[in-house]
Amino acid sequence: GKDGNNNNNSNNNEDDVNTEQQRKITQKYSIIHSRSFEGKRFLEEAHRHYGVDARASIDYPPDLIASILTPLGMTNNSTVLMITDGQNTKVIDRLSADPAIGPYFRAVPQEVSTVAGDIMLGMLSDVFIGNPASSFSQYIAMARYALGLGRSFLYVRRDALSGKWETFCDDESCFYQLHDLEAQTHQPAAPKTIP
């Protein structure tokens, strides 16, 4: 009416809708970077030198993803997104079908995926899981460290005794030490460099 009350109710409703949209946009999410590429040779070298599982960062088994996300509280009511080159649809199918990960998992569709958009999704995620042989994953991890964000997981292996997945070299100091040694020698770092 003339007193403006109807407009205030309308504005309040719009504010409520905008707040709800922001809440949905800014909810917690994890990113998995999947890429099929010739880097399999590098993963095999990484396995030989410091124990990286040579298949985990290609196959992303659901129990690996759950072992990283569950202790961080990122498997319930948070989104798990995959940025990918789209060449390994088996990993998408496997994670989609998993009863623990599947309800929260989505692959970013290729038609809306861009390099810049994928980098931003990875950089700003609550958790980033990437491939240690991928310069794209390494770049995202470096940017996250520069922003003061943790929870970047590129190095995984199975514990020889328990058979459980474990992450290692997931802190900034180890990450840069490992990559500095690789750059200096043009070879994967020796196992003693991993804390």
Side-chain angles (χ1 to χ4, degrees), residues 42-189:
F42 296 111
L43 284 172
E44 288 167 3
E45 283 294 309
H47 173 72
R48 192 168 60 85
H49 284 280
Y50 42 86
V52 168
D53 188 287
R55 296 293 314 167
S57 297
I58 295 170
D59 296 336
Y60 290 112
D63 64 325
L64 165 65
I65 303 304
S67 74
I68 294 171
L69 298 180
T70 301
L72 300 173
M74 295 297 291
T75 51
N76 292 324
N77 299 319
S78 65
T79 303
V80 180
L81 296 171
M82 177 173 281
I83 52 177
T84 178
D85 59 9
Q87 294 182 31
N88 187 356
T89 58
K90 289 179 184 176
V91 71
I92 295 169
D93 295 340
R94 187 172 32 256
L95 290 172
S96 295
D98 184 74
I101 302 297
Y104 307 102
F105 176 78
R106 302 289 176 268
V108 175
Q110 290 296 300
E111 56 272 7
V112 297
S113 178
T114 64
V115 171
D118 289 355
I119 288 172
M120 292 304 291
L121 282 170
M123 284 173 46
L124 300 175
S125 63
D126 292 279
V127 177
F128 177 70
I129 301 170
N131 185 320
S134 165
S135 58
F136 194 81
S137 284
Q138 291 173 17
Y139 177 77
I140 289 172
M142 287 187 283
R144 289 174 58 80
Y145 288 132
L147 293 170
L149 304 172
R151 298 179 168 184
S152 294
F153 303 97
L154 277 65
Y155 302 93
V156 297
R157 60 185 169 210
R158 282 204 187 265
D159 180 86
L161 297 176
S162 70
K164 293 182 178 180
W165 290 107
E166 62 183 13
T167 61
F168 64 100
C169 199
D170 50 5
D171 63 77
E172 182 175 13
S173 174
C174 181
F175 179 85
Y176 283 113
Q177 181 183 16
L178 183 67
H179 289 279
D180 185 47
L181 287 172
E182 286 181 18
Q184 288 175 20
T185 63
H186 300 291
Q187 297 177 26

Side-chain angles (χ1 to χ4, degrees), residues 2-48:
K2 293 181 182 179
D3 61 4
N5 286 338
N6 290 343
N7 289 340
N8 283 343
N9 288 339
S10 176
N11 286 341
N12 287 340
N13 289 340
E14 286 177 27
D15 289 342
D16 290 343
V17 169
N18 288 336
T19 302
E20 183 61 28
Q21 286 174 340
Q22 287 176 335
R23 206 174 286 127
K24 287 179 183 176
I25 291 170
T26 58
Q27 75 181 20
K28 290 183 177 185
Y29 71 98
S30 302
I31 289 290
I32 301 168
H33 174 229
S34 174
R35 177 148 183 233
S36 299
F37 63 121
E38 65 281 352
K40 292 175 187 174
R41 178 178 58 90
F42 296 111
L43 284 172
E44 288 167 3
E45 283 294 309
H47 173 72
R48 192 168 60 85

